[in-house]
Amino acid sequence: MPNIDLHCHSTVSDGLLTPTQLVKHAAARGVDVLALTDHDDIGGLEEARRIAAEKKITLINGVEISVDWRGQTLHIVGLNIDPAHLQLVRGLSSIRDGRTVRACKIAAQLDKFGIHGSLEGAYAHAGEGRLIGRTHFARFLVQQGYAKDMKSVFKKYLVKGKPGYAPHQWAPLSDAVAWIRSSGGRAVIAHPARYKLGKDALDELLLEFLALGGEAVEVITASHTPEQSLLFARHSQRMGLLASRGSDFHGPGESYFDLGRMPELPPNCTPVWHDWNRVM
Ligand code: AMP
Ligand code: MN
Ligand code: MN
Ligand code: MN
């Protein structure tokens, strides 16, 4: 059975490895099929594709889009998208612009709290003019000694109700799914258990997602406990959704799962790759 990992990040968003390093790392871990799914950016796909060809890995063009649904942030993964599709390219560019504005607000919040220089500090991690996210602020804050690790820095500073949090409006769910679909891709709800939706809200989300043309949910992801994976395997069967598997790898030392090193999909799930000829 091929080793399939359909969710990971490079330095193009908030990962620690360049697309080249990431694909080489995947090859060394025995991954056969890899989707690079940077947050709101597809700028790493071309480089990743070149190295994947060398390493005999099947590279899936992916992206992880930040979405606002009923005031809550959701992540929607797009698989097999066309990175040249204009609507998608423009949509992602507008989300990145929003990230730049939010970063200034986060820095202003931290300033008020007496933590100075965080914007420059975060950009030192992201790269000047590159996509900026909370992970880059987190790395700066840990480096400065404000928290001991990534998990605790989020808890202390970067989530709702904490000093370095700035509320933000992401793309509507309907737009994200439309961009993915119109570019030929398949839309997947990333790490669904993380949103802590009650039963009714979850059903409403899944029905709305299906109605928009969404097709899959992540069942195996670093964000899920084994119980949550089984729960979402059942939800996927119940709703007629396909099931995906991804490590959500961000880099050595920062991630729960290494590339390709996570459990298989539970039996009875229909894999999101079931009709991908190159994979089966
Ligand atoms: P953003 O999209 O900029 O709001 O940042 C979201 C990213 O922050 C996620 O993709 C993770 O990489 C990271 N993140 C969120 N929560 C945590 C956490 N509790 N611990 C470590 N990283 C986190
Ligand atoms: Mn991330
Ligand atoms: Mn995510
Ligand atoms: Mn991710």
Side-chain angles (χ1 to χ4, degrees), residues 7 9 13-15 39 64 75 99 135 194 248 250:
H7 188 149
H9 298 272
S13 63
D14 60 358
H39 297 285
E64 180 175 20
H75 286 172
R99 283 181 169 277
T135 307
R194 214 158 88 180
D248 207 356
H250 281 70

